[in-house]
Amino acid sequence: MIRKSKTYYVSSIRGNDKNDGLTQETPFRTLQQITGRELGPGDRILLERGSVFEDQYLHIRGKGEKENLIEIAAYGEGTLPHICANGTGIWYQDYGIRLDSPAHVYRGDVSSAVLLYDAEYIWIHDLEITNKDDIDRQSVAGKPSGEARSEIAERYSAPHKMDRTGVAVVAQNSGTLHEITLQSLMIHDVDGNVYNKHMNNGGIYMTALKPDNEEQTGIARYDGVTVEDCCVWNVSRWGIAVGYSYQHARFAGAQLQEEWFLKYGHENIVLRNNYVKNAGGDGITPMYALRPLVEHNISDSCATEMNDRIYCYPEERMGKVAAAIWPWKCKNALFRFNEAVDTKLNQDGMAYDADSGDGTVYEYNYSSQNEGGCVMFCLEEAIHNTFRKNVSYDDLGGILSPSGNPDAYVSENQFYIRKGVPLLRKNMSDGEITLKNNVISELENK
């Protein structure tokens, strides 16, 4: 029997949960009528523009087809439909294995406004998404530190506060997942846990968890993820991250083999034309990916919570570090035409960071007033990395951070440096770095 696809309509304005939800004239009222349904090729969930779904969430399972995607989007006229999870949509995340540092939390409850679980060939676009705590992060951040400290300690910066996500994507029990596209989403005010780096915690976070029966279902991984044209702001901890993996131990060491990624890592990852502002931690990061493409993105004022006033009860987790746009354990990652500005000072605080990967290339990027400098080549396992034809204008703290790196190659860049700012950041200049054909100019009146 040929399966017939369905379109479900949901409107908080004119809907009724006693309707069948199958036409614009008979829409459901709440997302509860949709959440948990198994979707198939060509199925659509359309939310009416102007709708606000308070204390609701959308958790999706299902598989489309390459030429017949599942679609979740808006219909009608007016403002984007708005999913306001407010701490609902709780699910239990468990990597099934400890992470690469014993300090990283690897299991616990997560609240996600949108969750795609083992879903593929799916396209989500034109939605507004929030997941607030009932404490206002902006009012807390704006108070004098002495006045705010007790309130932060009790609520916003509590060490075991629940992780929250705007959009969480999980691969676990369906092997390789294909063609997941997040496009034109407005994700903001996600009040997650400031300490938990690798839970589904922040604006958009994708992960691969250990399958219940890997021999039967195959290795959980991604082949084909696109995140583009999304605006992400006022989120904690991460802005956009794709995608930490339970297979992390396969990528230990410096030289990373392509065949490892084809079996255990991710392929065809594209992060394009996104804007991330006011992330508590890092801005935009692909992870465990072969040849990820990261282009035309902007990171603006990230790492806003990597300070003693907010990051004040980490317990054993440490990790008060963040940078703007960077890869983790990737092979031949390409970063081009990105802009990173005003990253806040922390142990890192750079615009860009080639971190423990093999063959990272940064080219034609721009950075300005990042308090930790322009770029770091991070430690001994970051090899074969190139930083070329970029512009750094008035970055602070020290422009370059070799940080124990064996072979950083920096060429044909333009560095505009204010007086008193060193080319090499202090205490991070113990690596090997090759400088060739760079233009270094001192800024006047700075």
Side-chain angles (χ1 to χ4, degrees), residues 95-167:
Y95 276 96
I97 189 171
R98 291 187 179 275
L99 303 185
D100 58 341
S101 167
H104 293 329
V105 172
Y106 68 98
R107 58 187 177 186
D109 287 334
V110 179
S111 163
S112 296
V114 175
L115 169 64
L116 305 183
Y117 179 82
D118 279 341
E120 65 177 348
Y121 296 110
I122 186 166
W123 176 31
I124 301 182
H125 61 100
D126 294 295
L127 303 176
E128 183 177 1
I129 296 164
T130 57
N131 196 351
K132 296 181 181 181
D133 195 352
D134 57 9
I135 188 171
D136 185 339
R137 82 194 286 268
Q138 293 306 307
S139 67
V140 168
K143 291 180 181 178
S145 59
E147 179 185 350
R149 190 167 185 81
S150 62
E151 185 175 3
I152 292 172
E154 292 296 325
R155 298 294 305 280
Y156 191 80
S157 297
H160 303 290
K161 180 181 178 181
M162 183 169 59
D163 299 295
R164 297 184 187 221
T165 339
V167 177

Side-chain angles (χ1 to χ4, degrees), residues 198-217:
H198 297 310
M199 296 292 284
N200 283 68
N201 183 36
I204 296 171
Y205 209 120
M206 301 185 180
T207 50
L209 311 182
K210 185 177 180 180
D212 296 331
N213 187 340
E214 186 178 272
E215 184 176 345
Q216 178 181 349
T217 60

Side-chain angles (χ1 to χ4, degrees), residues 242-364:
V242 182
Y244 202 89
S245 174
Y246 73 106
Q247 290 283 357
H248 57 83
R250 306 284 185 177
F251 300 90
Q255 295 203 27
L256 301 177
Q257 303 302 315
E258 184 169 321
E259 54 264 32
W260 300 349
F261 291 91
L262 298 176
K263 185 173 183 180
Y264 303 112
H266 314 310
E267 302 173 72
N268 297 306
I269 307 301
V270 178
L271 309 178
R272 177 187 291 129
N273 201 37
N274 301 291
Y275 177 70
V276 175
K277 182 177 177 65
N278 253 5
D282 304 89
I284 299 173
T285 309
M287 304 173 178
Y288 301 104
L290 176 65
R291 291 187 289 275
L293 176 60
V294 182
E295 63 179 4
H296 296 286
N297 301 284
I298 296 175
S299 171
D300 181 355
S301 305
C302 289
T304 57
E305 297 173 352
M306 299 295 102
N307 55 66
D308 291 341
R309 184 167 57 84
I310 296 179
Y311 199 102
C312 50
Y313 295 107
E315 298 179 339
E316 73 283 358
R317 282 168 287 197
M318 301 185 297
K320 189 170 58 181
V321 293
I325 302 177
W326 61 282
W328 170 252
K329 282 293 181 182
C330 291
K331 172 83 169 179
N332 295 341
L334 177 57
F335 293 76
R336 63 187 185 188
F337 308 114
N338 301 289
E339 180 175 340
V341 298
D342 198 30
T343 309
K344 302 305 180 183
L345 184 64
N346 56 82
Q347 294 173 48
D348 289 349
M350 301 86 181
Y352 308 113
D353 173 14
D355 196 342
S356 300
D358 186 347
T360 299
V361 173
Y362 282 101
E363 61 182 16
Y364 305 110

